[in-house]
Amino acid sequence: MKGIFSALLVPFDESGDIKEQGLREIIRQNIDKQKVDGLYVNGSSGENFMMSTEQKKEVFRIVSEENKGKVKLIAQVGSINLNEAVALGKYATDLGYDSLSAVTPFYYKFSFDEIKYYYETIINETKNNMIIYAIPALTGISMSLDQFEALFQNENVIGVKFTDGNFYLLERLRKKYPNKLIYSGFDEMLIYGAISGIDGAIGSTFNINGKRAKQILTLCQEDQVSKAYEIQHITNDLIERILDLGLYQTLKEILKITGIDAGVCKKPFEAFNFEKRAEVKKLVSTFNL
């Protein structure tokens, strides 16, 4: 369960329906070209929180079919509706996903006891492993070291997707829990997590830049930090331009230019600005995507 996991993109048509063939092409792109170690399915990058329960299940099914056991699969099942999270967790578990993951419940200001109950319920009902998804910038939930400790007491909580810039907390977690999996969630800060001893990373840009992410992680593990920094600089030049153009829209446009039917983003996301297509073509050429 270690290494680079793409936060899988999902292609939609103009009506918001999943483009099955395009999704299969994106899966193959990640496995065959980017050589990722695994796929993180139905996370933020998959526009999960705008999909119906049936669409989420459809994505889980297609990924499982296309993967055929080649790489590890993590199913993000988190939802503000606990019944949906449990149902999705059972569905992904039956499909053979290697672990579940769940974003902390958001919008309402849930207490930590309520958050703990949420995770324990999903685990107890599915009998699967769990990777906590900590992304305080989007959920408003920042957990302390003691709170992580309370969650980690459950042996089925095998790790955390740490999408947080608090590298002091990351260092403390790494030291205290050497046997728990820690995944970095910020692509642009991968090297700092790698220096801190993370087990892997989960990111949206890995759909098109996974090979460089693997190089950064491997070089840091081999104590070649200066070389890793060179690749992180290149990576961040790319990420900076992608963010300027629109994250998910641009990632899908890059895939389209390389011959993959990556569809469009779900509304209310704006459509890609085709006046910028020449800039995206230049990115593909300049960064050898």
Side-chain angles (χ1 to χ4, degrees), residues 145 169-179 182 196:
L145 186 64
L169 177 58
L170 174 60
E171 181 271 334
R172 293 287 84 188
L173 284 170
R174 179 73 295 165
K175 182 176 185 295
K176 193 165 188 177
Y177 302 103
N179 296 321
I182 300 178
S196 299

Side-chain angles (χ1 to χ4, degrees), residues 214-227:
K214 291 193 75 169
Q215 289 175 323
I216 293 167
L217 185 61
T218 300
L219 286 168
C220 285
Q221 291 169 341
E222 295 173 348
D223 293 325
Q224 299 187 63
V225 176
S226 61
K227 289 185 179 179

Side-chain angles (χ1 to χ4, degrees), residues 92-132:
T93 299
D94 288 343
L95 287 172
Y97 276 68
D98 297 283
S99 178
L100 304 180
S101 181
V103 67
T104 48
F106 49 90
Y107 188 80
Y108 298 103
K109 294 185 181 297
F110 294 104
S111 69
F112 178 71
D113 285 342
E114 290 167 333
I115 293 169
K116 188 168 180 284
Y117 174 80
Y118 162 89
Y119 282 116
E120 289 176 344
T121 299
I122 298 172
I123 291 167
N124 292 337
E125 291 290 331
T126 64
K127 305 297 188 292
N128 203 341
N129 291 327
M130 172 62 65
I131 296 167
I132 305 300

